Amino acid sequence: MAKKDQRTDAAREKDRERWMARFQVRLAMQPGVDRAVVLQAVKDVTAHCAETGEHPRTAFGDPDACAVQAASRLVPADRAARARRHNSVVDALDSVFKRAGDVAGL
């Protein structure tokens, strides 16, 4: 019986690690998110789960949706908007360079 409990605990821990990894990646992809925001969000989730004993999925749901919510809560709106504008300019330039490379045969 003890071995089954150990396997269950190991599976639960692995699932928790997967949830946290996905949360961090999705959070880092949000506009305006920097290292400090990721660290704060991870600290918040970890503290809540340690305090309540809940699994992050039970407490916060889908890691992708949670990342979007955390970013909107932790990133100032002006910084997120500035990052979105910057990303759109970079994407537009990338598209132009790609087309120029296609035309030039590069």
Side-chain angles (χ1 to χ4, degrees), residues 31-33 75-90:
V33 170
V75 177
D78 62 325
R79 187 166 90 190
R82 192 170 43 252
R84 277 192 290 277
R85 282 193 306 273
H86 174 78
N87 290 346
S88 67
V89 169
V90 170

Side-chain angles (χ1 to χ4, degrees), residues 25-101:
V25 167
R26 295 298 186 190
L27 182 59
M29 293 171 61
Q30 298 302 308
V33 170
D34 60 8
R35 185 173 188 267
V37 170
V38 173
L39 291 175
Q40 182 61 50
V42 168
K43 180 181 171 185
D44 293 346
V45 169
T46 303
H48 175 84
C49 292
E51 200 173 281
T52 63
E54 288 181 296
H55 187 281
R57 185 173 310 283
T58 305
F60 299 100
D62 179 59
D64 297 345
C66 185
V68 171
Q69 291 171 349
S72 67
R73 181 174 49 87
L74 296 172
V75 177
D78 62 325
R79 187 166 90 190
R82 192 170 43 252
R84 277 192 290 277
R85 282 193 306 273
H86 174 78
N87 290 346
S88 67
V89 169
V90 170
D91 290 345
L93 286 173
D94 186 44
S95 177
V96 168
F97 287 135
K98 185 175 188 258
R99 287 185 198 151

Side-chain angles (χ1 to χ4, degrees), residues 14-30:
K14 187 167 185 138
D15 187 48
R16 187 193 68 76
E17 289 173 1
R18 261 190 252 121
W19 191 97
M20 290 297 290
R22 183 168 181 109
F23 171 68
Q24 290 176 52
V25 167
R26 295 298 186 190
L27 182 59
M29 293 171 61
Q30 298 302 308

